Amino acid sequence: MTVRRRPTWVEVDLEAIRHNVRVLTPPGVQLMAVVKANAYGHGDVEAARAALEGGATWLGVALVEEGARLRAAGIEAPILVLSEFPEGSEHDALATGLTPTLYSDAGLGRLAQAISRAGSAPGPGAAVDVHVKVDTGMHRVGVWPPQETAAFVGRVRDAGLRLEGLFTHLARSEDDAPTTDRQLEVFRGALAQVRAAGHVPRLLHAANTAGTILHPSAHFDLVRPGIGIYGVEPGPGVGAALGLRPALTWRSRVTFVKRVAAGESVSYGHHHYLDRDTWLATVPVGYADGYPRVLSSRADVLLAGRRCRVAGSVTMDQLIVDCGDLEPCVGDEVVLLGRQGEEAVTAEELGGLAGTIGYEIVSRIGERVPREYR
Ligand SMILES: *Cc1c(COP(=O)(O)O)cnc(C)c1O
């Protein structure tokens, strides 16, 4: 492990991830822990292991590279890449044991070719399992129109692949039940046609975190939560009753302290005017670490268990905190995100202040912030 010189780090509570997986798993249903984007900033390998310990049976990733990192760390659980393998990555992705998603003839053709080149002659009964994704209204990726699904699945089988899963993705599960119901109806329609054509997908899945929490009719055989396993709400109040525990705390320490008189202004642009004498504390974290610059003079950090406002512009590597009459000391711990004493700053709060969502706050915490696990 490399030596940490700068006192800025993220602490991840792996027991919180295990707990969240347990409470999010519906009875009799499998859970695929979505660990894309470095597990939403939490550290992919460690988060994946914790999720598996909590009962997850599958992992989901966005990139072939992400799946390969998990395999290189020795993780053997099935891993679904949630979109088609990028052109040229098919051979490596299969060799790594990643499960492909398919929804286009181009993607199917490339995958079938990669298999035949590898020498394991495709034909009915060949061992490559795939999941076919149906677009039921999200309109990102998936078979469209959904009535084409049965025919596409037929071509998948003709190419010698086996349909293990059929899935879709919900666009508004956190805030709009009618849209979700409509998507599920379309999904069930496609499924009925697939079954009528003689295919029997073993794993049906549709539910992201909000689908898992709010829509039991979306559970099918497996749920696919991401944000919830990290203890962040997918939408305002969604899951509040479940007792999800935020897994991530972003910490730093005061590196410089000064008393500054009323009438002075702070940081780049001097946008923050001091109308009273105050203590200022400098904290070594900035927008290059993923702390959004738009939080300048808006967000609070926690210092000595109290909320203190960020004073003026967040800079690339440092920010300044207005501590009022609370005299800080060099070395005092600062919590940018998480709990300190009785106070907490949540990803949802920072997302709201930054005009975005908690997902973006945690997943953009930069690579130069070391992650520690407990
Ligand atoms: C990211 C993603 C998920 C997880 O969504 P959350 O809202 O984080 O629970 C599930 N399925 C797919 C296809 C995804 O892309």
Side-chain angles (χ1 to χ4, degrees):
M1 211 186 115
T2 51
V3 177
R4 170 156 57 79
R5 311 278 185 185
R6 180 179 67 154
T8 295
W9 73 104
V10 153
E11 198 173 283
V12 178
D13 178 356
L14 296 174
E15 177 51 28
I17 292 177
R18 289 187 282 263
H19 165 85
N20 294 333
V21 166
R22 287 191 291 265
V23 303
L24 284 166
T25 306
V29 173
Q30 295 188 63
L31 183 141
M32 174 187 295
V34 177
V35 294
K36 61 195 179 190
N38 197 26
Y40 296 43
H42 292 65
D44 51 5
V45 171
E46 293 80 2
R49 286 207 182 105
L52 293 168
E53 286 160 9
T57 50
W58 278 80
L59 300 169
V61 295
L63 310 187
V64 168
E65 292 88 331
E66 292 170 347
R69 275 176 53 81
L70 300 174
R71 287 284 182 252
I75 291 175
E76 290 176 355
I79 300 173
L80 180 66
V81 179
L82 295 162
S83 295
E84 285 184 345
F85 294 158
E87 182 166 6
S89 69
E90 296 85 0
H91 174 83
D92 290 351
L94 289 171
T96 313
L98 305 180
T99 300
T101 287
L102 285 176
Y103 39 77
S104 76
D105 287 313
L108 170 58
R110 294 198 312 262
L111 192 68
Q113 201 174 39
I115 292 167
S116 69
R117 281 210 188 117
S120 53
V128 174
D129 288 335
V130 305
H131 290 219
V132 166
K133 189 173 198 172
V134 189
D135 180 0
T136 57
M138 172 77 177
H139 299 322
R140 187 171 61 175
V141 292
V143 177
W144 181 263
Q147 304 87 275
E148 292 295 319
T149 307
F152 181 70
V153 165
R155 295 196 290 280
V156 167
R157 185 173 57 185
D158 293 346
L161 304 169
R162 203 158 50 195
L163 180 72
E164 177 177 54
L166 188 74
F167 73 109
T168 191
H169 193 44
L170 303 173
R172 298 194 61 179
S173 52
E174 71 285 355
D175 73 342
D176 190 78
T179 297
T180 302
D181 290 342
R182 220 172 303 124
Q183 283 195 262
L184 294 173
E185 201 178 297
V186 171
F187 183 57
R188 276 189 226 98
L191 171 65
Q193 292 176 343
V194 165
R195 282 183 174 149
H199 310 282
V200 193
R202 185 168 69 74
L203 291 173
L204 305 173
H205 47 110
N208 53 6
T209 298
T212 303
I213 295 170
L214 299 178
H215 303 281
S217 59
H219 288 173
F220 299 100
D221 302 302
L222 176 150
V223 293
R224 272 189 339 257
I227 198 74
I229 70 177
Y230 310 107
V232 177
E233 291 178 350
V238 176
L242 274 183
L244 296 175
R245 297 192 202 142
L248 185 150
T249 306
W250 191 356
R251 298 184 202 274
S252 188
R253 290 190 188 282
V254 173
T255 52
F256 198 73
V257 169
K258 71 214 70 90
R259 180 81 176 166
V260 177
E264 295 286 318
S265 296
V266 184
S267 196
Y268 285 130
H270 268 183
H271 299 302
H272 191 89
Y273 175 79
L274 299 177
D275 56 10
R276 53 171 170 51
D277 297 356
T278 193
W279 287 103
L280 295 179
T282 303
V283 183
V285 61
Y287 59 78
D289 298 300
Y291 193 87
R293 187 173 173 279
V294 71
L295 295 180
S296 301
S297 291
R298 279 193 197 175
D300 291 336
V301 306
L302 307 180
L303 216 171
R306 297 206 328 209
R307 284 176 170 267
C308 300
R309 184 60 48 90
V310 172
S313 297
V314 172
T315 75
M316 190 178 288
D317 317 297
Q318 304 184 79
L319 53 79
I320 301 148
V321 177
D322 188 338
C323 304
D325 287 327
L326 173 85
E327 183 179 352
C329 296
V330 168
D332 280 355
E333 186 193 84
V334 175
V335 168
L336 304 149
L337 172 54
R339 178 166 287 284
Q340 190 189 59
E342 296 302 300
E343 278 289 350
V345 172
T346 63
E348 295 89 326
E349 173 185 341
L350 294 184
L353 292 168
T356 182
I357 51 179
Y359 293 68
E360 188 174 343
I361 299 294
V362 290
S363 65
R364 291 185 75 170
I365 298 175
E367 268 185 49
R368 75 176 185 175
V369 181
R371 271 66 170 178
E372 293 187 357
Y373 301 92
R374 74 176 150 82

